[in-house]
Amino acid sequence: MAIREIIRMGHPTLRKVAEPVPEDFIGTPEFHTLVEDMRDTLAASGGIGLAAPQIDVSLQIAVVEVDELPSRYGTIPPIPFSVYVNPKITVLDEVTEGYWEGCLSVPGMRGFVERPQHIRVDYLDANGEPGSYEALGFQATLFQHEFDHLFGVLYVDKLKDPTLFAYEEEFDEFGLPEVESQS
Ligand code: ZN
């Protein structure tokens, strides 16, 4: 187990479409080491989600762990540590809502992104078992953000408006920029 370096925007791996994980790789010692390293790296970062490309591993794996903590998003429903291999998103309701997103690969910044708020996630878990999860609200945003990393997409590509992108320190000093009507 180890804490890996999180690569930042500008590193070419973050812009690649990651390879689907071969099913016979799941369950190998190499796979478990990778997942444990992702867990350690996420815990050390203080983040709530991490995708393998963010540690320069171009495979379709993401991990999520959300403690029930009030935050700038309100109280987020908790998600115990979970592993998502080769995940697919199905949008169940096209209605979008926006959140101020941040990213471990774009440190110190926040940007306002609108995304559908009711999705289903189909995936394989860390044992290769198929799973399905319906996510609402901020959880839906979180999964879309993490799984975008598996396709070379960063949240900055989806900013509602380039002016709704700023440093966290300035947010704390001056407050959040006003956001017009959220569709
Ligand atoms: Zn991210």
Side-chain angles (χ1 to χ4, degrees), residues 14 49-51 54 101-106 115 142 145-149 153-155:
L14 290 172
L50 181 74
Q54 292 181 277
E101 297 187 20
C103 181
L104 296 169
S105 295
V106 191
R115 301 181 190 264
L142 170 61
H145 175 119
E146 295 310 326
F147 300 164
D148 273 354
H149 279 298
V153 175
L154 299 174
Y155 82 85

Side-chain angles (χ1 to χ4, degrees), residues 39-117:
R39 183 176 195 157
D40 293 346
T41 304
L42 178 63
S45 73
I48 55 179
L50 181 74
Q54 292 181 277
I55 57 167
D56 198 14
V57 174
S58 199
L59 285 172
Q60 291 186 14
I61 306 171
V63 298
V64 165
E65 183 169 28
V66 181
D67 296 327
E68 191 170 18
L69 289 175
S71 74
R72 70 176 76 232
Y73 309 110
T75 301
I76 305 170
I79 304 174
F81 178 79
S82 312
V83 180
Y84 303 88
V85 177
N86 301 341
K88 303 258 184 305
I89 285 176
T90 303
V91 175
L92 300 176
D93 186 337
E94 298 282 350
V95 174
T96 61
E97 197 170 316
Y99 292 91
W100 286 95
E101 297 187 20
C103 181
L104 296 169
S105 295
V106 191
M109 304 208 68
R110 295 274 161 183
F112 191 82
V113 178
E114 292 181 345
R115 301 181 190 264
Q117 297 294 288

